[in-house]
Amino acid sequence: MLLIECPWCGPRDEAEFAYGGEAHIARPTEPDKLSDAEWAEYLFLASNPRGTYLERWRHAHGCRRWFNAVRDTYTHEIIEIYAMGSLPKSKLGIQAYEDSWRRGSAAEQNAKRGSAKS
Amino acid sequence: MSPQSHRVTERGRTDKTRLIPFKFDGRDYVGQAGDTLASALLANGVHLVGRGFKYHRPRGILSAGSEEPNALIQLGQGQRSEPNTRATQIELFEGLVAESQNRWPSLAFDIGEANNLVSRLLPSGFYYKTFMWPASWWEKYEHMIRRAAGLGKAPVGRDPDRYEKHHAHCDVLVVGSGPAGLAAALAAARTGARVILADEQSELGGGLLSNSEATIAGKSTEAWRSDTIAAIEACEAATLLPRTTVTGYYDHNYLTMVERVTDHLANPPAHLPRQRLWKVRAKRVVLATGAIERPLVFRDNDRPGIMLSSAVRTYLQRYGVLSGRRALVFTNNDDAYRTALSLKEAGGVVAAIVDLRIEVSGALLDAARAKGIEVLLGHAVVATKGHKHVRSVSVMALTGAGDGVQGLAREIECDLIAMAGGWNPTVHLLSQSRGKLSWNEDLGAFVPGQSFQAETSAGSCTGALETADCIRQGLKAGMDAARAAGFKGRAPAAPKVEEHSGSGGMRLIWTVPSTRPVGRGGKHFVDFQNDVTAADIRLAAREGYQSVEHLKRYTTTGMGTDQGKTSNVNALAILGDVLSSDIPGVGTTTFRAPFTPSAIGLYAARNVGEFFDPERRTMIDEWHREAGAKFEHVGQWMRAWYYPKPGEAQRQAVDREVKAARDGVGIMDASTLGKIDIQGPDAAEFLNRVYTNAWLKLGIGRCRYGLMLHEDAMVFDDGVTTRLAENHFHMTTTTGGAAGVLDWLEEWRQTEWPEMKVHFTSVTEQWAVVSICGRKSRELLAELCDDIDLSGEAFPFMAMREGTVSGLPARVFRISFTGELSYEINVAARHGLALWRALMAAGEKHAITPYGTEAMHVLRAEKGFIIVGQETDGTVGPDDLGMDWIVSKKKPDFIGRRSLARPDMLKPDRKQLVGLLTDDPNEVLPEGGQIVADLKPAPPMEMLGHITSSYYSPNCGHSIAMALIKGGRARTGEKLFVPLDGKTVSVRVVEPKFFDPEGERANG
């Protein structure tokens, strides 16, 4: 069982948290401009790497707040915890963010046009 | 045999003055306080304690610890009976009752032993080879095989014992309390670190408890042991836990431990649990788990009286038991000489030491010879005799290469063989923690390689053989762990240890040769618990099961309840011999938690029965119970299902309630509906994004029904939301969906739209809700409410008014889930029961009728209203439900909108919600029934869909059903079929509106 550092409550057992899947999947602001295939990329596709992964967690049985984490899916090492709406600062986290296929996706371009959110 | 015939009075730690009576296989015996069941049986000269798994050969006690493969015992009686417990770990208590397993009719005479005579017909993979065909017979075979292959019997009925869970944090967890573990705990605890020291045995000390030869720091091992324990106990932050097995090592240094709290007590105090499951988060872990001695694989090495050499020593030195009067020691290394010397000193006879090695030197050999013990170097035991107890062995000289025997065989009489095949470090927990193992050629064993977690190994689990090395490693590991956890200090100096040492070195002969080829006469057992022999492994390898994982499953070696603690390395090595590969080349299997079997009850602990899941009850619950309501579970809620009058069956009660709720006045407790208070300047805009319809212009005091979709356009929840003020809404959700909806709203606000100013608060339990329904509901409400104008014009459908009902401050919603004139009266939860009683009293003259969830389901189905989770299952969109009317065509966006245009959502053969009417008005279809158009005499038939809701409708005088059917709406008027067990019901497809299709009755 992982030990996860909630940014507001401190280190707690994984049992207190709910997993939120891949982080940084921005919602397109003008979905009508996306083809079915491009929309499906946003809706259905998630990365599943062996290694560094940017993911979301929620302290479901605590403060109920969402946050992001950089975790190694092989070692389960949690490399970084960072706030929702911000980008990773660790070297591995930055690299995983930049290397993601999603950065070039039509869905993400669409999301960026309409919002300041990253 | 006389009682305790094999007890040596001047040795051991047992209390000679406290005799403990116990029963084994119906016979009465006496042991001593401090005995295990195994040591007490051996003290009485009992070796035969079980039968082999497959061949039912007589089996005796092999070991003195948790690795025991043979002495598996059915312990206790009735519902407390527990199978497959290890006699070597059961502490003796007064009145203990134990039975042997896997024998019939008795241990001494076991019919199953006939298997041994036909063992040539039971090779590895026997089941797979024999029961392959005909395939349809497998079920019959399986039943038979399972009955034949059992060990103990699982108790029937509920576990009567209580278990507990305990969460703990520590800086340093030390696993094992032998010389290394005690040293580590001492070094760490002295720094002030929070230390937990856990050991599976009843006393701390590990190997020290059976080592009386050495001196440590000039003291006896016992004096050093007790002084060290006292020094650790003196540290305030140290917790010492005997009888506590660390069973699992998980991510981020999370370990589970099983503490046997009262298993050893004849009369456990009522306030204590039987066992306690510890969940420990440790900053650092020191594994001082020791080593397990390996059996030698020689011909017929499984007879009772053939034991591990270290176990023989333990029974003597710790329990004061001579396991035999005339011992033969068979070894490939130095350690067995210690056993021979101990036996001799205690007055036993050592017939000979048979050593596989050719060149041996050192103090141990000299000491043995000085005591007059015959030592046969370069020799092997090639056969054993004795059916229920070993009687003699046959010894021959080995060839130079060790692959055969030569010369004349010599018979040596003995009633005990102490075998020593070297040591396997106990690396199970390290392996569970994902640490890497490495093969040590000198020791012929896997030792800890690279750590994966914050953990260090110390002592004999690293392969260290001498007490001095174990203590030194322990002190360093404990100190390093405390420092890594942020503590300062210096480790105590390593004490000087004096003990006999040998020359070191061992001769690894993985299958000891005999006069006949392996597999042709006699059996060389590798896995005692699963009856796997060297011949089985060789056969499996020849048949192509050369991967260690395949070999394991095909032969079942290492798959018993002992996880192959004594057999794995021998099996790997024999496989390596066949494949001409070294052992690292063969590879290892992974050890899994738990280290020793643990009771399922532990993992449930207190979460059983009424504590399994919280039960939620409304504030009006008391009234429902008094009224004799039947209840049903809705999520965690207990809801009144129906209220039978004396003599009424369910159907009669529900019919009565359904009629009354339309024609008179019905009353229902709707408090369980999910309720979320939504406030903030962006509240309306937020609702506009999460619901499919428009919300910006909803007037204050007005209600609107809304449908929520997931982003994939599938229906996820529904409910009525009311605007209380410009920036204040009251949302209702389904009873079961309340928590999920709140999470959903929070997710979008926190992760996608953090700029929106809106807050959500669950108020489900703050409000009690009573729904009154039917033609007379307005009249009833008017009697109790004088500050709200109830006229249709002043208080229209889908509006909310605040006022008082029976003097209680209330929000009254004119909304309806039944299609009837209906009011949902919300009062503070604490007023719920008072409101209900006031309405019941005032409604008496209208024959007010309480109705439950079943009647509610019928009423809404009459109207064709859906229930999310009943008509939907996560694959149903709004158009599938015929609810396109609630999906805004004007809003630029809302959650799920884009997916409504996905090609799959537009297919004409999507399953759509329709109504079904049976030809026979009294035929109520089963929910879940499959629907077909093209009826065939037997399956398979093309299934068009299934029935989602089905009831008898007293208001229609006809059964009614709703169903999801492929292209259903286009089939309106068609005749379809529902094939059931023994009959087929034909149905007509109709629009899912069975009663008041124009919806006039909601206006009263």
Side-chain angles (χ1 to χ4, degrees):
Chain A
M1 180 163 5
L2 306 184
L3 184 68
I4 299 171
E5 180 105 19
C6 170
W8 292 279
C9 309
R12 302 296 176 107
D13 275 345
E14 183 185 344
E16 291 186 17
F17 296 84
Y19 188 58
E22 187 180 347
H24 306 294
I25 306 180
R27 187 173 189 272
T29 48
E30 297 166 302
D32 287 347
K33 295 195 174 157
L34 294 173
S35 69
D36 287 330
E38 288 165 346
W39 176 251
E41 279 189 349
Y42 157 74
L43 189 57
F44 298 122
L45 296 195
S47 312
N48 185 21
R50 183 190 194 271
T52 315
Y53 195 45
L54 309 183
E55 63 190 16
R56 310 186 308 164
W57 287 88
R58 174 167 59 93
H59 196 186
H61 301 286
C63 62
R64 294 176 51 221
R65 297 244 245 164
W66 287 79
F67 56 90
N68 290 317
V70 182
R71 183 177 61 99
D72 187 305
T73 58
Y74 177 69
T75 64
H76 292 310
E77 185 195 353
I78 295 175
I79 296 151
E80 183 186 354
I81 301 267
Y82 58 105
M84 198 47 66
S86 69
L87 290 174
K89 290 171 195 69
S90 61
K91 205 175 149 202
L92 285 169
I94 292 168
Q95 188 172 354
Y97 180 83
E98 286 173 355
D99 290 352
S100 169
W101 61 275
R102 212 176 278 288
R103 299 295 85 82
S105 72
E108 182 154 313
Q109 297 309 314
N110 180 299
K112 272 186 185 160
R113 275 198 295 278
S115 108
K117 185 179 165 297
S118 48
Chain B
M1 213 166 287
S2 60
Q4 302 205 57
S5 56
H6 287 65
R7 190 75 72 175
V8 188
T9 44
E10 66 279 14
R11 311 234 163 197
R13 311 174 56 82
T14 52
D15 185 346
K16 274 70 186 166
T17 63
R18 278 180 57 211
L19 298 182
I20 311 280
F22 68 100
K23 246 188 212 319
F24 177 68
D25 273 351
R27 240 188 99 174
D28 290 309
Y29 294 94
V30 173
Q32 294 176 353
D35 263 328
T36 61
L37 175 58
S39 68
L41 286 168
L42 288 171
N44 286 282
V46 177
H47 278 262
L48 173 63
V49 290
R51 288 278 177 166
F53 183 68
K54 197 160 136 190
Y55 307 115
H56 290 251
R57 286 163 61 122
R59 285 289 166 76
I61 294 159
L62 180 79
S63 75
S66 57
E67 70 270 32
E68 178 61 34
N70 283 344
L72 301 184
I73 299 295
Q74 187 91 29
L75 183 65
Q77 292 169 300
Q79 278 165 253
R80 284 204 163 81
S81 177
E82 187 175 7
N84 307 336
T85 56
R86 293 153 302 284
T88 50
Q89 286 196 297
I90 301 164
E91 289 178 58
L92 203 63
F93 57 83
E94 195 165 328
L96 178 147
V97 177
E99 297 258 339
S100 58
Q101 302 181 161
N102 202 33
R103 81 292 189 271
W104 187 85
S106 76
L107 186 56
F109 176 72
D110 175 17
I111 295 271
E113 199 176 351
N115 282 0
N116 190 40
L117 303 176
V118 294
S119 64
R120 291 284 291 280
L121 305 176
L122 296 168
S124 46
F126 167 70
Y127 295 141
Y128 306 116
K129 285 168 180 160
T130 311
F131 299 111
M132 290 277 288
W133 52 267
S136 60
W137 279 33
W138 172 247
E139 280 179 29
K140 293 188 185 76
Y141 288 141
E142 190 188 10
H143 185 67
M144 192 177 80
I145 292 167
R146 290 213 183 278
R147 216 174 35 180
L151 286 170
K153 289 187 194 69
V156 179
R158 220 178 132 150
D159 188 337
D161 286 315
R162 192 157 56 79
Y163 302 83
E164 278 177 3
K165 288 182 194 172
H166 184 84
H167 292 259
H169 296 263
C170 67
D171 298 303
V172 182
L173 170 65
V174 181
V175 186
S177 67
L182 286 181
L186 178 67
R190 282 177 15 141
T191 66
R194 291 170 304 167
V195 173
I196 294 177
L197 174 63
D199 191 288
E200 64 178 349
Q201 304 238 16
S202 57
E203 287 184 279
L204 300 178
L208 294 170
L209 297 169
S210 46
N211 177 357
S212 55
E213 297 113 39
T215 59
I216 305 173
K219 299 186 254 191
S220 70
T221 47
E222 173 53 23
W224 188 81
R225 184 193 77 94
S226 51
D227 290 353
T228 308
I229 291 169
I232 300 167
E233 274 172 338
C235 302
E236 232 172 80
T239 307
L240 288 79
L241 294 170
R243 298 191 178 93
T244 304
T245 306
V246 178
T247 52
Y249 196 144
Y250 305 91
D251 292 311
H252 293 191
N253 264 10
Y254 183 82
L255 295 96
T256 51
M257 317 198 295
V258 176
E259 182 187 4
R260 292 175 298 281
V261 183
T262 59
D263 276 350
H264 61 293
L265 300 176
N267 297 299
H271 71 282
L272 287 176
R274 179 189 169 212
Q275 296 178 353
R276 190 177 282 135
L277 179 67
W278 287 66
K279 301 177 174 193
V280 183
R281 184 77 70 175
K283 283 193 184 140
R284 304 286 308 184
V285 172
V286 176
L287 296 174
T289 45
I292 294 171
E293 195 167 36
R294 228 164 25 214
L296 286 166
V297 180
F298 58 101
R299 183 175 164 185
D300 293 329
N301 58 344
D302 67 325
R303 300 188 192 282
I306 303 181
M307 301 171 69
L308 294 173
S309 151
S310 58
V312 170
R313 207 156 73 225
T314 295
Y315 286 117
L316 179 59
Q317 303 203 349
R318 182 166 173 189
Y319 301 102
V321 174
L322 261 180
S323 301
R325 302 206 189 283
R326 190 178 160 81
L328 182 118
V329 175
F330 186 22
T331 186
N332 68 0
N333 70 90
D334 286 331
D335 191 70
Y337 286 74
R338 295 194 173 108
T339 305
L341 289 168
S342 301
L343 287 169
K344 185 87 182 172
E345 279 161 21
V349 175
V350 179
I353 296 175
V354 178
D355 194 329
L356 292 169
R357 298 175 297 177
I358 298 160
E359 287 185 27
V360 182
S361 62
L364 282 166
L365 176 70
D366 297 343
R369 286 200 163 135
K371 294 266 178 194
I373 300 173
E374 184 182 6
V375 181
L376 297 165
L377 298 179
H379 276 66
V381 172
V382 296
T384 64
K385 282 187 189 152
H387 183 53
K388 284 172 198 158
H389 197 136
V390 66
R391 209 169 62 226
S392 70
V393 300
S394 183
V395 175
M396 288 172 81
L398 284 164
T399 58
D403 56 355
V405 286
Q406 58 193 6
L408 288 176
R410 185 176 143 196
E411 287 288 306
I412 302 177
E413 280 186 22
C414 62
D415 63 354
L416 172 70
I417 299 178
M419 58 177 166
W423 295 92
N424 286 333
T426 309
V427 290
H428 300 68
L429 291 173
L430 175 88
S431 175
Q432 285 184 32
S433 79
R434 297 172 76 187
K436 291 245 177 357
L437 304 179
S438 68
W439 178 253
N440 182 313
E441 196 62 47
D442 295 337
L443 297 166
F446 285 102
V447 296
Q450 207 185 338
S451 290
F452 190 85
Q453 299 202 33
E455 149 281 323
T456 328
S457 294
S460 52
C461 68
T462 68
L465 297 170
E466 307 287 335
T467 307
D469 294 334
C470 293
I471 294 178
R472 201 165 40 243
Q473 286 185 10
L475 289 171
K476 180 170 178 349
M479 196 61 234
D480 288 350
R483 286 203 184 111
F487 293 83
K488 291 192 177 71
R490 286 168 64 92
K496 188 169 162 45
V497 179
E498 283 177 42
E499 63 185 336
H500 281 310
S501 57
S503 61
M506 54 200 309
R507 188 178 192 192
L508 294 170
I509 297 177
W510 296 108
T511 311
V512 176
S514 93
T515 51
R516 308 203 45 190
V518 171
R520 305 278 163 188
K523 291 195 188 309
H524 295 65
F525 281 95
V526 176
D527 184 322
F528 292 92
Q529 187 171 117
N530 274 356
D531 270 2
V532 181
T533 65
D536 291 333
I537 292 170
R538 291 173 177 217
L539 174 66
R542 281 202 306 277
E543 289 182 344
Y545 295 91
Q546 300 186 347
S547 143
V548 59
E549 297 288 352
H550 290 159
L551 178 91
K552 170 179 165 173
R553 284 158 184 83
Y554 190 59
T555 62
T556 72
T557 188
M559 288 177 70
T561 60
D562 62 346
Q563 285 193 50
K565 288 185 177 69
T566 53
S567 65
N568 278 343
V569 171
N570 281 338
L572 294 173
I574 292 168
L575 179 64
D577 280 349
V578 180
L579 302 179
S580 303
S581 162
D582 60 2
I583 290 170
V586 172
T588 57
T589 55
T590 309
F591 294 107
R592 309 280 181 203
F595 176 71
T596 45
S598 40
I600 298 283
L602 264 173
Y603 299 93
R606 302 300 295 274
N607 303 103
V608 292
E610 61 181 316
F611 299 121
F612 177 67
D613 200 28
E615 205 168 78
R616 301 171 79 182
R617 294 164 182 232
T618 75
M619 299 299 276
I620 308 167
D621 183 79
E622 173 189 330
W623 191 93
H624 306 317
R625 277 170 207 281
E626 280 168 11
K630 300 286 179 196
F631 285 82
E632 71 167 338
H633 286 275
V634 181
Q636 290 171 330
W637 287 103
M638 293 299 289
R639 295 198 71 176
W641 188 19
Y642 59 96
Y643 302 80
K645 286 191 170 172
E648 256 184 351
Q650 178 182 353
R651 166 77 181 272
Q652 291 168 301
V654 172
D655 283 359
R656 172 177 55 72
E657 291 172 18
V658 168
K659 288 291 282 179
R662 293 211 188 280
D663 299 338
V665 58
I667 179 168
M668 190 185 68
D669 181 358
S671 303
T672 64
L673 272 187
K675 296 174 275 292
I676 300 170
D677 191 83
I678 303 176
Q679 297 193 42
D682 292 322
E685 170 60 23
F686 195 92
L687 292 175
N688 217 38
R689 294 186 191 184
V690 298
Y691 277 130
T692 59
N693 48 350
W695 288 81
L696 297 179
K697 290 178 184 163
L698 181 68
I700 292 168
R702 297 307 299 250
C703 318
R704 186 163 286 172
Y705 174 75
L707 204 58
M708 281 186 210
L709 308 182
H710 273 157
E711 192 73 287
D712 62 4
M714 301 306 168
V715 172
F716 147 66
D717 205 77
D718 68 345
V720 170
T721 293
T722 303
R723 192 168 210 162
L724 302 172
E726 181 64 25
N727 298 328
H728 190 185
F729 290 81
H730 175 85
M731 173 185 279
T732 64
T733 74
T734 56
T735 295
V741 171
L742 183 65
D743 287 345
W744 179 247
L745 304 178
E746 281 290 352
E747 178 178 349
W748 284 93
R749 194 201 66 77
Q750 288 187 39
T751 71
E752 199 64 43
W753 304 315
E755 71 283 0
M756 293 188 82
K757 291 189 173 67
V758 57
H759 289 278
F760 313 99
T761 309
S762 167
V763 292
T764 301
E765 289 175 345
Q766 277 62 39
W767 295 99
V769 181
V770 178
S771 179
I772 54 171
C773 168
R775 290 180 172 264
K776 292 179 181 161
S777 55
R778 183 182 280 134
E779 204 177 318
L780 170 63
L781 184 57
E783 288 175 43
L784 294 174
C785 173
D786 54 15
D787 50 3
I788 300 174
D789 182 348
L790 298 178
S791 68
E793 302 74 46
F795 190 1
F797 186 50
M798 298 305 271
M800 186 281 300
R801 294 291 177 265
E802 289 185 86
T804 57
V805 178
S806 186
L808 306 167
R811 290 177 185 166
V812 182
F813 298 77
R814 206 189 132 191
I815 54 182
S816 177
F817 190 40
T818 60
E820 209 61 43
L821 175 66
S822 171
Y823 299 90
E824 287 191 1
I825 306 163
N826 287 233
V827 296
R830 66 183 183 281
H831 294 151
L833 190 55
L835 173 68
W836 182 277
R837 290 193 197 282
L839 286 162
M840 286 304 296
E844 203 176 344
K845 55 183 165 299
H846 305 296
I848 189 167
T849 304
Y851 66 98
T853 49
E854 188 64 22
M856 177 189 81
H857 281 203
V858 178
L859 288 160
R860 64 91 203 178
E862 288 177 341
K863 293 289 297 174
F865 295 158
I866 63 153
I867 289 183
V868 171
Q870 184 156 348
E871 270 63 54
T872 71
D873 59 5
T875 68
V876 180
D879 183 61
D880 303 333
L881 295 167
M883 294 177 72
D884 207 27
W885 53 269
I886 200 172
V887 178
S888 165
K889 309 292 179 289
K890 292 182 190 147
K891 287 202 292 185
D893 198 11
F894 55 84
I895 297 169
R897 180 180 168 280
R898 173 64 182 82
S899 292
L900 289 168
R902 289 176 55 238
D904 262 21
M905 298 299 286
L906 307 171
K907 284 185 177 167
D909 67 342
R910 284 191 67 81
K911 287 186 181 174
Q912 294 170 331
L913 189 72
V914 295
L916 298 180
L917 288 177
T918 51
D919 296 343
D920 173 1
N922 288 312
E923 174 82 47
V924 180
L925 293 160
E927 288 173 358
Q930 293 291 326
I931 295 152
V932 301
D934 188 10
L935 192 65
K936 292 185 180 156
M941 294 173 252
E942 191 199 353
M943 296 179 290
L944 297 177
H946 68 280
I947 295 160
T948 58
S949 292
S950 175
Y951 313 94
Y952 181 77
S953 161
N955 290 310
C956 302
H958 200 295
S959 69
I960 57 172
M962 290 195 275
L964 284 166
I965 296 181
K966 280 184 193 167
R969 286 199 289 273
R971 291 181 181 271
T972 304
E974 272 183 39
K975 205 159 195 89
L976 298 174
F977 303 96
V978 183
L980 301 171
D981 263 351
K983 67 174 176 182
T984 296
V985 180
S986 66
V987 293
R988 188 160 50 88
V989 178
V990 297
E991 197 187 344
K993 282 183 182 173
F994 302 98
F995 185 79
D996 180 31
E998 305 309 317
E1000 285 160 357
R1001 293 175 70 106
N1003 296 321

